[in-house]
Amino acid sequence: MSRTTTPERLPFLLEIGSEEIPARFVPDAMAELGKRLGEGLAAARLDAEDLRVLATPRRMVVLCASLATRQPDRQTEVKGPPLSVAFGADGQPTPAGLGFARKAGVDLADCERTGEGAGACLVARRLEQGRDAAAVLAELIPAVILAIPFRKVMRWGEHDLEYPRPLQWLVALFGEQVVDLNVGHIRSGRISRGHRTLALNREVTLEAPGAYLPAMAAAGVMVDQAERRRTISEGLAARLKAEEPDGRLLEDEELLAEVVFLCEHPTPFLGAYGSQFAALPDEVVATALKAHQRYFSIVGPEGRLLTRFASVRDGGTDHLDNVVAGNERVLRARLADALFYWGFDQKQTPDQHVAR
């Protein structure tokens, strides 16, 4: 008979740590990871509740609030050969009948007979014991990780692995226990890594899935992309109000979505690039800010660009003035090139350019 008791349930954590993955790769990879793992768990008859996929440039994370610790037992039914084939005229089992029972894993005497007349046949029914979820996860997770489609992948060292950037660590916790598995040369454990600068990339030992988000926050990592997005939006608004109250950000959802996956601990700031670049068309400046530097443009009350920009640092507020100065210096160099070519192009008329 099938098991009737409800299996015990435990939280589950998967963290795939790597070098920084390009921001434009991450959203699609998150969707694929959630889809493939969800489908794999369903096919394996492991009920999962509240499956969330989170990501930063350095980590792809699955948090499951409740996952069955064991597959439910199930009764399987296998239809066999007709009775006229399974038994001879003398009523003795034939090789076909014995072979069917052996393949089905039951005794021929335990097989049932169903149907009538020429349609009568053998049927084997048996109880398939459910497997422990940890064993299923150990098989499922490596296949899911290596099947995530990315726009570009790479190989590194002497390893026969393909991923957008080199894999560095793997955390797989089911309750308080490590799910023992390998993805190529990377073996799972309970050790993650903190923010590169805020926590000096130190090891973070995780006791259970429920401790993951607080532990990573203490190590300088905002794992939840929604939290980073909110921090960026609210932080930029606060900076504008304090430093440029008459300005507003030029809305750019595409840029915001990319910046969210360029950092693990966003700290917004404003910078300036000098009034000499006001001679450039707004479109040229806005393109340079977005395409080259991933900066946000700021417009004034009349709708023209101000000579200010907004950006996000991946780190804290320490020495932020040095970060602002460095970003301003890089941007001025880019805009100086644009201003030179803009002036050079205006030495000829549009007709002369067309003739050329």
Side-chain angles (χ1 to χ4, degrees):
M1 294 179 64
S2 298
R3 188 187 301 264
T4 57
T5 57
T6 302
E8 184 184 356
R9 308 179 70 86
L10 291 172
F12 170 68
L13 164 67
L14 171 67
E15 184 189 52
I16 310 162
S18 68
E19 297 294 327
E20 283 78 358
I21 296 177
R24 62 187 183 279
F25 290 10
V26 179
D28 288 345
M30 291 173 62
E32 286 291 336
L33 175 58
K35 174 176 176 288
R36 290 170 184 265
L37 185 57
E39 290 176 348
L41 291 172
R45 311 192 317 281
L46 287 175
D47 184 48
E49 293 180 357
D50 192 18
L51 192 72
R52 302 168 60 199
V53 180
L54 310 173
T56 76
R58 297 184 70 201
R59 64 200 81 220
M60 302 258 299
V61 179
V62 176
L63 275 171
C64 182
S66 176
L67 179 65
T69 60
R70 179 180 183 82
Q71 294 174 319
D73 296 343
R74 67 174 177 180
Q75 192 175 66
T76 59
E77 179 178 295
V78 182
K79 187 176 180 180
L83 295 181
S84 59
V85 175
F87 298 94
D90 57 358
Q92 295 301 308
T94 64
L98 293 171
F100 165 71
R102 185 169 55 253
K103 185 176 180 181
V106 298
D107 291 332
L108 183 59
D110 294 329
C111 292
E112 299 180 13
R113 306 184 184 200
T114 184
E116 297 179 358
C121 64
L122 284 179
V123 172
R125 291 187 176 91
R126 61 192 180 106
L127 184 65
E128 182 180 318
Q129 297 287 338
R131 300 170 64 201
D132 288 339
V136 178
L137 290 170
E139 296 174 359
L140 175 62
I141 291 172
V144 167
I145 292 174
L146 296 177
I148 299 172
F150 290 96
R151 302 182 193 183
K152 291 183 180 179
V153 294
M154 62 178 291
R155 294 186 180 184
W156 59 96
E158 298 177 353
H159 309 299
D160 190 23
L161 276 180
E162 290 187 347
Y163 204 69
R165 293 295 184 269
L167 291 171
Q168 298 291 308
W169 73 90
L170 190 64
V171 175
L173 291 180
F174 191 35
E176 298 181 355
Q177 301 301 313
V178 172
V179 179
D180 190 15
L181 58 92
N182 289 76
V183 178
H185 62 289
I186 304 293
R187 187 167 185 175
S188 61
R190 61 173 72 248
I191 296 176
S192 180
R193 292 191 175 273
H195 191 276
R196 280 199 187 277
T197 57
L198 293 178
L200 300 179
N201 200 35
R202 73 168 184 265
E203 293 185 347
V204 179
T205 301
L206 303 167
E207 299 301 328
Y212 176 69
L213 292 178
M216 298 316 299
V221 179
M222 293 184 191
V223 181
D224 190 339
Q225 59 274 5
E227 181 184 2
R228 295 198 305 278
R229 183 186 182 99
R230 183 169 58 253
T231 299
I232 293 170
S233 297
E234 294 176 355
L236 289 176
R239 288 283 182 178
L240 274 173
K241 184 176 181 180
E243 300 181 35
E244 200 68 52
D246 292 332
R248 63 177 177 82
L249 289 183
L250 186 65
E251 292 187 11
D252 194 325
E253 175 60 32
E254 180 184 42
L255 179 57
L256 176 59
E258 182 175 4
V259 171
V260 165
F261 291 107
L262 285 173
C263 57
E264 292 200 313
H265 189 103
T267 296
F269 64 87
L270 300 189
Y273 50 87
S275 57
Q276 69 269 33
F277 299 112
L280 286 167
D282 284 358
E283 293 81 1
V284 173
V285 176
T287 298
L289 264 62
K290 175 180 178 178
H292 295 295
Q293 303 300 128
R294 306 305 189 266
Y295 296 163
F296 296 89
S297 298
I298 300 175
V299 296
E302 293 81 21
R304 291 292 311 277
L305 289 190
L306 302 180
T307 55
R308 303 293 304 273
F309 67 91
S311 187
V312 175
R313 175 195 192 180
D314 185 12
T317 57
D318 290 348
H319 310 294
L320 189 60
D321 53 344
N322 289 340
V323 174
V324 173
N327 279 268
E328 289 176 339
R329 183 170 60 252
V330 171
L331 180 59
R332 284 196 296 268
R334 287 202 177 275
L335 293 181
D337 287 344
L339 188 61
F340 170 80
Y341 285 109
W342 175 251
F344 181 82
D345 287 345
Q346 289 190 95
K347 291 179 181 179
Q348 291 184 316
T349 66
D351 289 340
Q352 289 174 314
H353 282 294
V354 170
R356 237 175 44 181

